[in-house]
Amino acid sequence: MAELTGVVGIGQTKYAAKRAELSMPGLLREAALRALEDAGLTWNDIDAVVIGKAPDMFEGVMMPELFLNDAVGGAYKPMLRVHTAGSVGGSTAVVAASLVQSGVHDRVLTVAYEKQSESNATWALSISMPFSVATIAGAGGYFAPLVRGYIRRSGAPDDTGIRVAVKDREHALKNPLAHLQLEDISFEMVANSPMLWDPIRYLETCPSSDGACAMIFANEELARQAPNPVAWVHATEMRSEPTMFSGRDQVMPQATLDNAASLYKKAGIQNPREEIDCAEIYVPFSWFEPMWMEGMLFAPTNEGWKMTYEGATKLGGELPVNCSGGVLSSNPIGASGMIRFAESALQVRGMAGEHQVDGAKKALGHAYGGGSQYFSTWIVSSEKP
Amino acid sequence: MRDVAVVGFTQSESVRRERDRNEVEILIPVIHELKTRAGITSEDLDFVCSGSSDYLAGAAFAFVSGLDAVGAWPPLCESHVEMDGAWALYEAWVKIQMGYADLALVYGFGKPSMGDLPLTMALQLDPYTTMPLWPDAVSIAALQARLCLEGGVLSERDMAEAAARDRRNALDNPNAQVAGDFRAEQILSEPYLVSPLRKHDCAPISDGASAVLLAAGDRAKEMCERPAWIRGIEHICEPQELGVRDLTRSRSTEIAAEKAGVGAGKVDVAELSAPFSHQEILVERALGLGSDTEVNPSGGALAGNPIMAVGLSRIGEAADRITKGSANRAVAHATSGPCLQQNLVCVLEG
């Protein structure tokens, strides 16, 4: 029933620790203008705008989409603001695509961003709510026990995480927009970096970045007029589950397994590892690559680490993962999920530049958030379904 | 377009201060009652969408705990907007239109009593140029009211009459926070709170929550004897900067109303969520409502204002009148941002 929908434009800012020369509106505008340029469109061609970002308390602006409205050409148009924790960038893309898939709009612009240099994420994530359990741990402190749980269950070699970090940082050197560009990256460099939250080392974590990512969706008829190749949306999916309850498996949450199964069913995929050419997976801490290889059903339970270990997830490998450098190389939190979606689309459009996977036709974009409880994913392809 | 209807609506009382319950505890009975009445469990829901603001709770990810009230197990296909629940309903309506869902639960909640709401709302303004001046929400609205008065758009008596009407209507609404047999003269004799606004020109600060069930086509007919069909739902956002828009009218409401087809037939009932009396008049005019429309039979936002749920509640209240047979065609309105920056209009029919 859904209308066939395609990505016709993508724009990303240069990611950096501090884009001091840009205000928040300027940051969003940089990404949005690049997406319009890619799509060969102007502001007037856009029917509606969908904005996504992580918690408002990061930058200290309540519902910031309201003041950002005209910076992204949203004046006197419908505007939505999505917020689903760390998965928000992905969810925002899903909502924007649905506006076209439903036939409600013909062309939609979506922008997700974070300006971490004007934020204090660890502070904002550590506020304790009255009557609620306070973790006061920041993201790394929250996720480290889940990683330890994974290592214990899977028996994965201790250096798996280091290998993921080296691989993603090598990939980032092929992506001029990536925040971290570590020319001399090596196994020893990661292994010798300080242990922050055992077993997560400094170089196994994501940076704090400023940045925005934008995409433009169009229906089939308008997508055909696009000057550059189109990434067709084959399926989108979202799943959520509560943060805490007795018996919840936080290491491999039911929500990720349900999400993956439903996504592949919608996209008509029987064997994801064979049929998907590359993936952009939300990996803010190195170990989440092997974990989500299992969570996205690319590998059997407790064997996700083997894909990393065997080099399957490297550019040139069987299923290249995070060829852009991933969240480990650029992390404007609210945008990080959308970057995964946009990079997967760039791959099937053949527009990923130096980090292009040769002949990529079908790609997965993935984001997760909260206490490993929010999941949003999509499958895009150079071919219509 | 698929036929989509409101088939259920529940809400909490609007109260100034929920002393003993947190946001989830306010939500739980509202969602439980909705599911019980409809005879469904979480597993029947194809999609769930909520609207709330972290800034009311004063904590990042405050909305996450809403999942505990829904009972998101097994995991749900679920999303959240940092907007009034009316926009969450819009997202759910889109999901049903694209064929990804037939039955959706929507909820909105807010507990502003934990902070100083008028000052918190200042954080919605441009953080570089305007917010550092800390203009509170009442003062910003007062500037707009002053422009309307000096432009001859409306009078203080018009404002008092709108406020009195809402509070009188609210006498029949057990969930209302401010109700009484008010008269315009009485309101006009009160001192100004922030000139030219009197206390009664302002919506109360309310803690509360509401929830709506949306269903498509035959599913709606099975679940409800008289579903309230959504015949049009549109929303428009204006730029925020106060100097770039005409504050004496609500252009975005006008555009949304035209696209939603408000003028295509007689409107029996209109539920408006404008938080200030002069804004209610501006919205009423932008919708092109005539004297044959009953405005705010529930009392509207001026009688109970659970921010982030109040707009969704207007859709629920309007739908309730259709479901109960007292109206055939109704219009609901939701707003967000300073001085009616963003507006949503929903047309419902029996």
Side-chain angles (χ1 to χ4, degrees), chain A residues 159-235:
Chain A
D159 62 353
T160 308
I162 298 173
R163 287 166 188 261
V164 173
V166 172
K167 176 207 61 149
D168 280 3
R169 303 202 179 295
E170 282 172 353
H171 285 172
L173 295 172
K174 298 176 185 293
N175 177 7
L177 297 177
H179 171 179
L180 291 183
Q181 309 272 352
L182 305 174
E183 299 286 348
D184 49 351
I185 188 71
S186 67
F187 185 96
E188 290 68 32
M189 189 178 168
V190 178
N192 294 329
S193 66
M195 187 66 83
L196 294 186
W197 307 275
D198 196 347
I200 303 169
R201 294 168 182 82
Y202 177 70
L203 282 175
E204 293 179 79
T205 69
C206 51
S208 292
S209 314
D210 285 359
C213 177
M215 279 192 284
I216 294 167
F217 295 97
N219 64 23
E220 186 177 9
E221 189 189 331
L222 292 173
R224 252 191 262 124
Q225 302 165 17
N228 287 319
V230 177
W232 299 102
V233 179
H234 280 216

Side-chain angles (χ1 to χ4, degrees), chain B residues 105-307:
Chain B
L105 169 72
V106 180
Y107 61 94
F109 61 99
K111 193 181 173 186
S113 67
M114 291 195 281
D116 180 333
L117 185 63
L119 273 183
T120 304
M121 300 292 275
L123 294 166
Q124 286 189 337
L125 304 168
D126 185 310
Y128 305 106
T129 60
T130 318
M131 186 271 144
L133 303 170
W134 286 99
D136 67 273
V138 179
S139 301
I140 292 271
L143 288 173
Q144 182 185 32
R146 176 61 66 199
L147 274 171
C148 291
L149 291 173
E150 294 194 350
V153 174
L154 45 76
S155 67
E156 290 186 43
R157 172 162 289 274
D158 294 335
M159 290 159 60
E161 278 172 359
R165 171 190 64 189
D166 284 349
R167 272 61 183 262
R168 283 197 305 270
N169 288 350
L171 285 167
D172 296 328
N173 179 1
N175 296 309
Q177 182 179 342
V178 186
D181 188 18
F182 287 95
R183 300 289 150 185
E185 293 72 28
Q186 178 192 350
I187 290 175
L188 286 169
S189 69
E190 289 174 5
Y192 290 121
L193 178 66
V194 179
S195 174
L197 298 177
R198 297 175 171 85
K199 191 180 171 201
H200 276 101
D201 291 310
C202 309
I205 294 170
S206 318
D207 291 347
S210 61
V212 164
L213 265 185
L214 285 186
D218 291 342
R219 190 75 203 268
K221 290 176 196 162
E222 283 165 23
M223 295 184 71
C224 183
E225 204 170 309
R226 199 173 138 85
W229 299 102
I230 296 173
R231 297 303 182 201
I233 182 164
E234 300 284 347
H235 60 103
I236 295 289
C237 192
E238 302 181 15
Q240 183 177 74
E241 184 60 44
L242 301 184
V244 303
R245 50 191 171 122
D246 182 351
L247 296 177
T248 63
R249 65 194 280 199
S250 179
R251 187 79 191 103
S252 51
T253 305
E254 290 168 15
I255 298 169
E258 196 190 329
K259 291 169 88 179
V262 172
K266 177 177 176 282
V267 178
D268 299 321
V269 163
E271 281 284 342
L272 315 179
S273 91
F276 296 94
S277 61
H278 68 281
Q279 293 181 350
E280 186 171 303
I281 296 166
L282 296 181
V283 169
E284 210 175 318
R285 289 180 188 169
L287 291 169
L289 302 178
S291 55
D292 54 352
T293 299
E294 189 187 356
V295 175
N296 284 343
S298 73
L302 290 181
N305 183 36
I307 179 172

Side-chain angles (χ1 to χ4, degrees), chain A residues 318-335:
Chain A
E318 180 197 349
L319 178 78
V321 173
N322 294 334
C323 302
S324 63
V327 183
L328 285 181
S329 304
S330 313
N331 186 35
I333 301 178

